[in-house]
């Protein structure tokens, strides 16, 4: 519904701007405004009835736990995100939920962030495309989404008060674009502001973030909701454009809003604006349907999970498991799987697939015998030596041992960050001892944030990266192990060799209330590839049971600094599979330092054996642009750009170059501009050189001839100082005369 706020009293209006309780808004019966339910999200519905909390402590009604964002990120498939979003939307309808809190599109800045399982990637394009697909599909079912946590919420340590100190170029190029894409492409009903401060100002009352950028630059039309308990100053929040405070404050902050308006400290028009946005949420078509398709959604969860599994290593084609194999299944996660993260996104599942059972079901049809040993416990109960010895005995009698390893709920969760990438010691010992006796060893990993593979990677034949796959993950892993599904996931984040190699390492998680994003735009692969740091597996890596070839790269500049890229993909193996075409752009033109390459487009292609398809990818201006802090806008510098088709962020398989005209810029010169600025200016530089040459005294000409590199030494000196030091090398009125010439636009270089 829409509402004319002038028909409400100031008290009624203020009441609409905060929750009634944990999950609902206040109704205004006189005005016919209903109460609505907002609840988590993102990969399933956490609908609480009795005890209410935002940490996943109390129970909730059973719902399907779909694969969390860490898995969806690895699918590199907007279709997976969309099918998941639509199913979550349908379940929201079943429960009468108006707004589902999610998806989270924050960037994985550090592999230690406890909430990385709830985020897609270290890359903003991948995160934004998947987030937009999720939101579009969810909202097409009726309910609204809440894209979160806006912004720069990249750690759990001190998340409620730390200041993320990030320069504007880095915000615009890395931490904001996923939100921007979701806003522009999917029109989310709400955006959830984060707990933390951004450059010293709480996100919940950061007007630059919530109004200047979100609404004015990007055109956001929905309501901003606070993260649960993120409001520290409600009146400042209304001034900044933060519409709905959740959960409620028992009326305390409503009274502050009323008082501020009466005292003339808050314009009532701003209250009215927020009221309209909050009331608009009540018009979302979320009417309860009462139908939860338990079976259908479980099957869908399995399918989506299998699309997200990443095959990291498969020496000697140990996978898929061949008929007749004696298989030893080892590890606590085979019978007590870890498939979702802890905290506010925790779903009370409708059912849960156990990997061991699912393996037994598929093995039965393939003449594969299965033995099992627990190997280790996740909760440190039991005798580690005994358990390991049992695993070794079981592995010795098998052809292939599959070890299910990973992190438990106590090792990672919302609310805290990890301090190590290592797997627990007892698990590493089991992997190593099993690998020493089993003819072939496969490790299957379940965890939310990246774990180190060092110390055991080279001992094993195959590594299957499952991350967290949702309630049907057990079935999905069995499907991949037996080749029912050909793996097609790719890493959405780098697996480093050492934690210390990560670019945020020196500045994570900050100190004394501040975390400095000192690595700037060089986040994840943008840093590793630029600095040539060896990694275990790069961003974008992922294997298949078939093989693909990419040929015939063509890049066509389509004018206005845009391009169309065509490439032909062939499935050169003997089974159907899916390939991700990854397109990166690389350049060193322009006035700012660019990462070695940046992902600018991707698409996933399904191909039967021997099948070939030509795909077309569009590169718009933003694919070539950087954020120019002086001009406060996106700028495409003139020059040469390489368009690269890559296997992953490190390996280029084909490259073509284009030259772009770039944006004209005005490089206006003053006496504070440097000597270098003056001489390199395309319009002024040549004239100045000529005037200097002809107007030089004999003494100056002799000095210049003796010291041809002299100009280099003074390039960074402001012209004002240069004039003073050189005492007449350039006549000041020459510069005065040339200044107007510098106001004509020139290509950005
Ligand atoms: C989390 C949000 C969540 C909210 C409600 C907060 O603690 O940061 O992601 O949606 O609680 O549970």
């Amino acid at each position: 519904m829409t509402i004319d706020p002038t028909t409400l009293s100031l008290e009624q209006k203020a009441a609409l701007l905060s929750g009634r309780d944990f999950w609902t808004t206040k109704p205004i019966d006189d005005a016919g405004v209903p109460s609505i339910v907002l609840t988590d999200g993102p990969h399933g519905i956490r609908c609480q009835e009795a005890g209410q909390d935002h940490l996943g402590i109390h129970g909730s009604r059973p719902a399907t736990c779909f694969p969390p964002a860490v898995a969806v990120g690895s699918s590199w498939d907007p279709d997976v995100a969309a099918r998941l979003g639509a199913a979550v939307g349908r379940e929201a309808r079943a429960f009468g939920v108006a707004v589902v809190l999610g998806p989270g599109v924050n960037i994985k800045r550090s592999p230690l962030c406890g909430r990385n399982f709830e985020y897609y990637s270290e890359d903003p394009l991948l995160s934004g495309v998947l987030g937009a697909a999720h939101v579009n599909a969810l909202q097409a079912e009726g309910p609204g989404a809440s894209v979160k946590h806006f912004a720069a919420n990249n750690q759990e340590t001190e998340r409620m008060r730390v200041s993320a100190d990030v320069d504007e170029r880095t915000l615009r190029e890395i931490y904001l674009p996923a939100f921007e894409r979701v806003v522009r492409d999917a029109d989310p009903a709400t955006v959830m502001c984060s707990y933390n401060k951004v450059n010293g100002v709480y996100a919940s009352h950061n007007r630059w973030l919530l109004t200047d950028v979100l609404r004015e630059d990007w055109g956001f039309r929905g309501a901003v909701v606070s993260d649960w308990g993120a409001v520290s100053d409600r009146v400042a929040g209304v001034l900044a454009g933060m519409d709905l405070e959740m959960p409620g404050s028992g009326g305390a902050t409503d009274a502050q809003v009323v008082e501020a308006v009466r005292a003339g400290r808050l314009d009532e028009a701003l209250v009215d604006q927020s009221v309209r946005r909050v009331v608009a949420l009540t018009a979302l078509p979320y009417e309860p349907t009462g139908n939860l398709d338990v079976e259908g959604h479980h099957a869908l969860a399995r399918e989506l999970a299998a699309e997200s599994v990443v095959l990291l290593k498969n020496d000697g084609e140990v996978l898929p498991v061949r008929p007749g194999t004696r298989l030893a299944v080892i590890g606590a996660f085979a019978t007590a799987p870890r498939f979702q993260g802890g905290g506010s996104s925790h779903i009370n599942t409708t059912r849960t697939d156990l990997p061991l059972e699912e393996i037994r079901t598929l093995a039965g049809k393939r003449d594969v015998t299965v033995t099992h040993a627990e190997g280790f416990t996740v909760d440190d109960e039991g005798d580690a030596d005994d358990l390991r010895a049992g695993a070794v005995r079981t592995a010795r009698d098998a052809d292939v041992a599959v070890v299910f390893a990973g992190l438990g709920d106590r090792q990672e969760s919302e609310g805290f960050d990890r301090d190590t990438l290592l797997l627990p010691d007892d698990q590493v010992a089991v992997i190593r001892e099993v690998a020493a006796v089993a003819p072939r060893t496969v490790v299957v990993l379940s965890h939310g944030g990246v774990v180190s593979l060092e110390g055991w990677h080279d001992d094993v034949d195959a590594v299957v990266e499952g991350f967290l796959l949702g309630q049907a993950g057990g079935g999905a892993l069995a499907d991949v192990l037996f080749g029912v599904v050909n793996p097609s996931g790719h890493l959405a984040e780098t697996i480093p060799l050492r934690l210390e190699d990560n670019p945020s390492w020196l500045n994570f998680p900050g100190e004394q209330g501040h975390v400095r994003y000192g690595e700037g735009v060089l986040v994840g692969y943008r840093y590793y590839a630029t600095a040539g740091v060896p990694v275990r597996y790069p961003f974008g890596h992922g294997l298949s049971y078939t093989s693909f070839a990419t040929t015939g790269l063509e890049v066509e500049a389509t004018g206005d600094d845009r391009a169309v890229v065509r490439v032909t993909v062939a499935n050169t193996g003997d089974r159907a599979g899916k390939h991700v075409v990854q397109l990166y752009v690389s350049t060193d033109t322009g006035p700012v330092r660019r990462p070695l390459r940046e992902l600018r487009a991707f698409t996933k292609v399904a191909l039967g054996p021997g099948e070939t398809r030509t795909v077309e990818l569009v590169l718009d201006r933003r694919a070539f642009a950087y954020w120019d802090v002086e001009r406060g806008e996106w700028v495409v510098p003139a020059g040469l750009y390489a368009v690269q088709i890559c296997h992953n962020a490190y390996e280029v398989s084909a490259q073509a170059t284009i030259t772009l005209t770039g944006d004209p810029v005005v490089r206006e010169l003053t006496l504070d501009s440097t000597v270098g600025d003056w001489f390199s200016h395309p319009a002024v530089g040549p004239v100045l050189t000529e005037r200097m040459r002809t107007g030089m005294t004999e003494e100056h000409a002799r000095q210049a001839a003796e010291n041809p590199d002299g100009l280099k030494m003074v390039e960074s000196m402001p012209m004002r100082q240069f004039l003073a030091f050189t005492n007449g090398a350039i006549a000041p009125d020459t510069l005065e005369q040339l200044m107007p010439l510098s106001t004509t636009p020139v290509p950005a270089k």
Side-chain angles (χ1 to χ4, degrees):
M1 69 181 287
T2 53
I3 197 162
D4 174 5
T6 56
T7 60
L8 301 177
S9 69
L10 179 58
E11 284 74 10
Q12 286 175 317
K13 292 192 280 193
L16 282 169
L17 304 193
S18 70
R20 173 170 66 182
D21 50 33
F22 231 85
W23 303 118
T24 64
T25 59
K26 298 194 201 83
I28 305 282
D29 295 334
D30 304 349
V33 180
S35 162
I36 57 165
V37 176
L38 302 88
T39 201
D40 292 301
H43 47 267
I45 301 295
R46 185 169 70 101
C47 199
Q48 293 187 314
E49 271 161 352
Q52 305 194 327
D53 69 279
H54 60 122
L55 298 171
I57 296 165
H58 294 286
S60 52
R61 290 168 64 186
T64 312
C65 176
F66 290 98
V70 62
V72 178
S74 311
S75 77
W76 285 62
D77 190 350
D79 215 45
V80 166
R83 293 171 73 199
L84 189 155
V88 169
R90 289 194 293 276
E91 296 209 3
R93 283 292 284 270
F95 293 120
V97 171
V99 175
V100 186
L101 308 177
V105 298
N106 294 97
I107 293 296
K108 302 190 203 219
R109 173 176 178 245
S110 163
L112 297 176
C113 173
R115 225 168 166 183
N116 275 356
F117 75 90
E118 237 181 297
Y119 303 140
Y120 294 112
S121 175
E122 67 189 22
D123 180 82
L125 177 76
L126 187 53
S127 305
V129 168
L130 297 172
H134 177 113
V135 171
N136 267 321
L138 186 152
Q139 296 197 153
E141 297 294 330
S146 192
V147 58
K148 64 190 188 183
H149 310 87
F150 190 58
N153 180 184
N154 309 98
Q155 64 187 55
E156 293 298 282
T157 308
E158 294 274 2
R159 68 168 164 161
M160 291 195 157
R161 49 183 202 168
V162 74
S163 173
D165 296 343
V166 202
D167 67 86
E168 187 173 357
R169 177 178 166 214
T170 300
L171 279 171
R172 298 276 189 171
E173 292 188 22
I174 304 291
Y175 295 99
L176 299 183
F179 291 97
E180 179 182 2
R181 186 173 286 271
V182 177
V183 166
R184 290 191 199 273
D185 292 0
D187 197 15
T190 74
V191 165
M192 184 193 289
C193 73
S194 56
Y195 285 125
N196 53 285
K197 298 172 194 138
V198 179
N199 292 323
V201 183
Y202 276 110
S204 66
H205 51 82
N206 194 318
R207 190 172 166 85
W208 176 79
L209 199 61
L210 304 184
T211 296
D212 299 359
V213 173
L214 180 64
R215 293 199 160 97
E216 286 167 13
D217 288 1
W218 303 345
F220 176 60
R221 304 183 309 161
V224 174
V225 181
S226 73
D227 197 347
W228 265 233
V231 172
S232 62
D233 180 337
R234 186 64 191 107
V235 173
V238 179
L239 281 165
M242 210 292 286
D243 305 305
L244 176 62
E245 175 188 12
M246 288 302 289
S249 64
T253 50
D254 304 350
Q256 291 166 9
V257 170
V258 170
E259 198 274 322
V261 171
R262 298 234 156 96
R265 287 186 292 115
L266 175 62
D267 184 351
E268 194 164 350
L270 290 178
V271 175
D272 292 353
Q273 212 170 50
S274 288
V275 164
R276 280 193 207 94
R277 294 181 191 134
V278 171
V279 171
L281 298 178
T282 66
L284 289 163
Y286 64 89
E287 305 76 34
T289 55
N291 295 326
L292 193 64
D293 179 6
V294 173
E295 291 309 313
H297 280 185
H298 186 77
L300 176 65
R302 179 171 181 151
E303 207 187 307
L304 301 179
E307 293 289 320
S308 310
V309 173
V310 187
L311 181 63
L312 292 177
K313 172 177 183 178
N314 192 21
D315 287 357
E317 298 190 355
V318 57
L319 293 175
V321 174
R322 290 180 179 73
T325 302
R326 290 174 304 157
L327 200 65
V329 175
I330 290 162
F333 294 107
T335 47
R338 174 115 191 287
F339 57 89
Q340 64 173 328
S344 60
S345 66
H346 198 271
I347 305 297
N348 178 15
T349 61
T350 55
R351 51 189 258 214
T352 304
D353 282 358
L354 306 185
L356 180 61
E357 276 179 13
E358 301 298 326
I359 286 172
R360 286 209 160 108
T361 306
L362 293 185
K365 299 173 192 155
R366 287 167 174 76
D367 191 26
V368 169
T369 57
V370 179
T371 50
H372 169 246
E374 195 179 359
F376 57 85
T377 60
V378 185
D379 47 17
D380 295 335
E381 279 169 29
D383 183 322
D385 292 340
D386 272 4
L387 289 166
R388 193 167 64 251
V392 171
R393 275 195 304 277
T394 309
R396 191 174 278 133
D397 295 334
D399 301 315
V400 177
V402 184
V403 184
F404 282 80
L407 298 180
D409 287 323
R410 288 215 313 248
Q411 283 140 354
E412 58 174 358
S413 166
E414 175 181 342
F416 64 90
D417 297 317
R418 284 182 298 158
D419 55 14
T420 173
L421 298 185
L422 301 180
L423 282 177
D425 289 345
D426 56 341
Q427 295 189 34
V428 173
V430 170
I431 295 172
R432 297 195 63 171
E433 290 187 25
V434 163
V437 298
R440 314 297 298 274
T441 302
V442 177
V443 172
V444 177
L445 292 171
S446 302
H447 54 93
V450 155
V451 293
S452 169
L453 314 187
E454 303 319 301
W456 56 268
H457 172 272
D458 295 349
D459 298 348
V460 306
D461 301 278
V463 183
V464 176
E465 180 56 272
F467 290 111
L468 301 178
L469 291 170
Q471 69 178 46
L477 287 169
D479 287 342
V480 167
L481 291 172
F482 284 95
V484 176
V485 173
N486 188 351
S488 63
H490 290 256
L491 290 176
E493 55 196 303
T494 310
I495 304 183
L497 286 173
R498 308 180 317 150
L499 172 62
E500 295 84 337
D501 293 337
N502 179 265
S504 74
W505 183 70
L506 282 173
N507 288 305
F508 183 92
E511 54 209 14
Q512 300 197 317
H514 291 264
V515 50
R516 204 162 64 83
Y517 286 38
E519 68 283 6
V521 299
L522 294 170
V523 173
Y525 72 86
R526 284 171 165 76
Y527 164 73
Y528 294 119
T530 305
V533 176
V535 297
R536 172 51 70 186
Y537 287 113
F539 172 86
H541 170 75
L543 304 176
S544 166
Y545 296 150
T546 185
S547 49
F548 298 95
T550 316
T551 53
L553 171 63
E554 280 172 21
V555 183
E556 186 193 329
T558 48
D560 200 14
D561 297 331
R562 290 164 213 269
V564 169
V565 180
R566 284 178 211 92
V567 79
T568 301
V569 189
N571 180 344
T572 52
D574 56 6
R575 60 167 75 214
K578 290 183 181 170
H579 178 68
V580 176
V581 178
Q582 302 176 33
L583 194 163
Y584 297 74
V585 171
S586 175
T587 190
D588 56 12
T589 187
V592 300
R593 181 174 181 168
R594 309 287 283 263
L596 177 66
R597 64 178 61 91
E598 298 183 84
L599 183 74
R600 293 306 195 203
F602 64 93
T603 186
K604 199 165 186 176
V605 199
L607 294 169
E611 200 184 339
T612 292
R613 187 158 332 131
T614 299
V615 298
E616 192 172 281
L617 298 155
V618 174
L619 293 175
D620 61 14
R621 279 177 40 79
R622 276 286 284 278
F624 305 105
Y626 72 93
W627 179 264
D628 188 300
V629 288
E630 287 176 358
R631 300 179 57 183
E633 61 184 352
W634 295 101
V635 171
V636 177
L640 197 68
Y641 291 77
V643 172
Q644 303 175 327
I645 299 292
C646 296
H647 297 300
N648 54 57
Y650 273 57
E651 282 177 88
V652 179
S653 69
Q655 163 167 321
T657 53
I658 47 171
T659 302
L660 299 179
T661 328
D663 293 323
V665 293
V666 174
R667 282 172 55 191
E668 199 171 342
L669 296 170
T670 67
L671 290 184
D672 291 325
S673 307
T674 64
V675 173
D677 291 339
W678 275 88
F679 281 96
S680 67
H681 193 285
V684 175
V687 186
L688 181 59
T689 312
E690 182 54 24
R691 295 245 182 123
M692 248 187 101
R693 210 176 47 80
T694 50
M696 263 183 192
T697 61
E698 263 178 42
E699 173 60 10
H700 279 133
R702 192 185 53 76
Q703 282 173 6
E706 274 172 11
N707 185 8
D709 293 335
L711 200 57
K712 178 127 196 83
M713 281 176 60
V714 295
E715 250 173 19
S716 63
M717 188 183 280
M719 186 56 99
R720 191 186 303 283
Q721 275 80 359
F722 181 73
L723 290 181
F725 290 152
T726 53
N727 190 22
I730 307 174
D733 56 347
T734 303
L735 300 180
E736 298 287 342
Q737 285 162 15
L738 292 179
M739 274 181 202
L741 253 188
S742 72
T743 56
T744 0
V746 294
K749 258 249 174 206

